[in-house]
């Protein structure tokens, strides 16, 4: 009985969480280590570090973030970099409200379209476009078109939900990108398919996007919208 009591006490002690000052001290030490050893981190290690900070919403400071994004070739010339990694990186930036350098954005626009076509998932496209919209980073036409075509394919295959399409449209509206012609037709078709899956937030984002861009939804979309 005595041994069991000791085990229970030890378990209780090990589960005690550090106080806020101890946690902050540990984080500061890690950030200092990142700063001092920046050159020794490969692209994936840097991505994971930034993603963790974004997930925890811990601001590492302008200097450290600027250094992390000062050499975009470190990421885009890395053979092991996947589209999922880039989506996570941009999501972290949006959580920290940090806009990467213009050089990084240019490389992103060059690199991402091909990867979207070959490997992007619905969730990853949602992460990327949620970040672009939140940070108001306007994409170039190839990135916009590749995202639309991939989403359209995923929706038709039944591998994409309402959140991805509503986030994509919301981001476009945030940046003032008005869909027209075949682009608007493709977007409307996707919305008509997934509108029945959308929750109230996603529906409100769609309504706001149409209003913000001065675009009218299709009759079929309105009909399916009303029959929910």
């Amino acid at each position: 009985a005595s041994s069991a009591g000791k085990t229970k006490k030890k378990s209780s002690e090990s589960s005690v969480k550090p106080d806020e000052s101890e946690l902050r001290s540990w984080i500061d030490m890690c950030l200092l280590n990142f700063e001092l050893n920046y050159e020794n981190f490969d692209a994936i290690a840097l991505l994971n570090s930034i993603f963790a900070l974004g997930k925890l919403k811990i601001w590492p400071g302008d200097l450290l973030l600027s250094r992390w994004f000062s050499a975009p070739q470190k990421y885009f010339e890395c053979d092991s970099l996947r589209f999922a990694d880039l989506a996570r990186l941009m999501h972290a930036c949006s959580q920290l409200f940090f806009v990467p350098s213009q050089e990084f954005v240019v490389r992103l626009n060059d690199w991402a379209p091909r990867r979207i076509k070959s490997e992007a998932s619905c969730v990853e496209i949602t992460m990327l476009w949620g970040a672009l919209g939140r940070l108001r980073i306007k994409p170039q036409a190839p990135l916009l078109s590749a995202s639309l075509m991939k989403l359209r394919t995923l929706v038709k295959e039944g591998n994409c939900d309402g959140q991805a399409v509503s986030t994509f449209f919301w981001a476009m509206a945030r940046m003032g990108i008005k869909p027209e012609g075949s682009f608007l037709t493709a977007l409307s078709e996707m919305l008509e398919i997934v509108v029945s899956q959308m929750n109230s937030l996603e529906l409100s984002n769609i309504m706001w996007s149409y209003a913000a861009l001065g675009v009218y939804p299709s009759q079929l979309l309105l009909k399916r919208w009303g029959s929910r």
Side-chain angles (χ1 to χ4, degrees):
S2 175
S3 175
K6 289 179 181 178
T7 302
K8 185 176 181 180
K9 183 178 180 182
K10 184 177 180 181
S11 175
S12 175
E13 289 174 350
S14 64
S15 65
V16 175
K17 295 181 180 180
D19 61 34
E20 189 173 336
S21 61
E22 289 177 337
L23 181 60
R24 185 68 238 187
S25 177
W26 179 82
I27 290 170
D28 288 341
M29 182 178 66
C30 288
L31 292 176
L32 178 61
N33 185 50
F34 291 152
E35 187 168 350
L36 294 175
N37 296 283
Y38 165 78
E39 297 298 337
N40 298 325
F41 279 70
D42 63 18
I44 302 303
L46 284 172
L47 283 166
N48 288 335
S49 301
I50 298 169
F51 181 73
L53 291 170
K55 192 77 173 175
L56 296 170
K57 295 186 178 179
I58 296 171
W59 178 251
D62 290 312
L63 176 61
L64 191 52
L65 277 174
S66 296
R67 290 194 68 190
W68 272 342
F69 287 93
S70 63
Q73 67 275 9
K74 191 178 185 79
Y75 302 101
F76 296 111
E77 294 176 10
C78 172
D79 293 335
S80 58
L81 183 69
R82 303 168 301 157
F83 182 76
D85 298 318
L86 181 72
R88 290 169 60 236
L89 174 64
M90 293 305 298
H91 176 72
C93 288
S94 72
Q95 294 298 301
L96 297 170
F97 291 98
F98 176 79
V99 180
S101 67
Q102 183 59 34
E103 184 184 0
F104 184 92
V105 173
V106 169
R107 293 295 293 266
L108 164 67
N109 274 285
D110 289 340
W111 181 90
R114 295 187 300 275
R115 296 303 185 103
I116 287 174
K117 293 176 183 177
S118 62
E119 62 187 75
S121 71
C122 176
V123 172
E124 293 156 6
I125 293 175
T126 303
M127 292 176 72
L128 174 64
W129 278 88
L132 294 176
R134 195 174 191 189
L135 298 174
R136 300 201 180 199
I137 299 174
K138 198 168 185 176
Q140 296 297 315
L143 176 54
L144 182 64
S145 298
S147 300
L148 175 73
M149 289 189 289
K150 185 67 174 185
L151 277 177
R152 191 180 186 185
T153 299
L154 291 170
V155 167
K156 288 186 174 182
E157 293 173 348
N159 294 322
C160 196
D161 57 15
Q163 182 185 12
V165 182
S166 67
T167 300
F168 179 64
F169 193 21
W170 168 84
M172 288 176 58
R174 284 265 295 176
M175 293 178 280
I177 302 173
K178 187 173 183 177
E180 297 177 327
S182 59
F183 196 106
L184 178 59
T185 300
L187 184 60
S188 297
E189 288 174 354
M190 289 193 295
L191 289 168
E192 289 161 6
I193 294 172
V194 300
V195 66
S196 61
Q197 306 168 21
M198 290 183 178
N199 59 32
S200 57
L201 175 61
E202 292 157 3
L203 282 171
S204 65
N205 281 340
I206 292 299
M207 293 171 65
W208 178 85
S209 300
Y210 272 115
L213 294 172
V215 178
Y216 291 95
S218 68
Q219 290 299 314
L220 180 56
L221 178 57
L222 288 173
K223 182 178 179 181
R224 292 183 176 175
W225 206 329
S227 63
R228 281 175 47 86

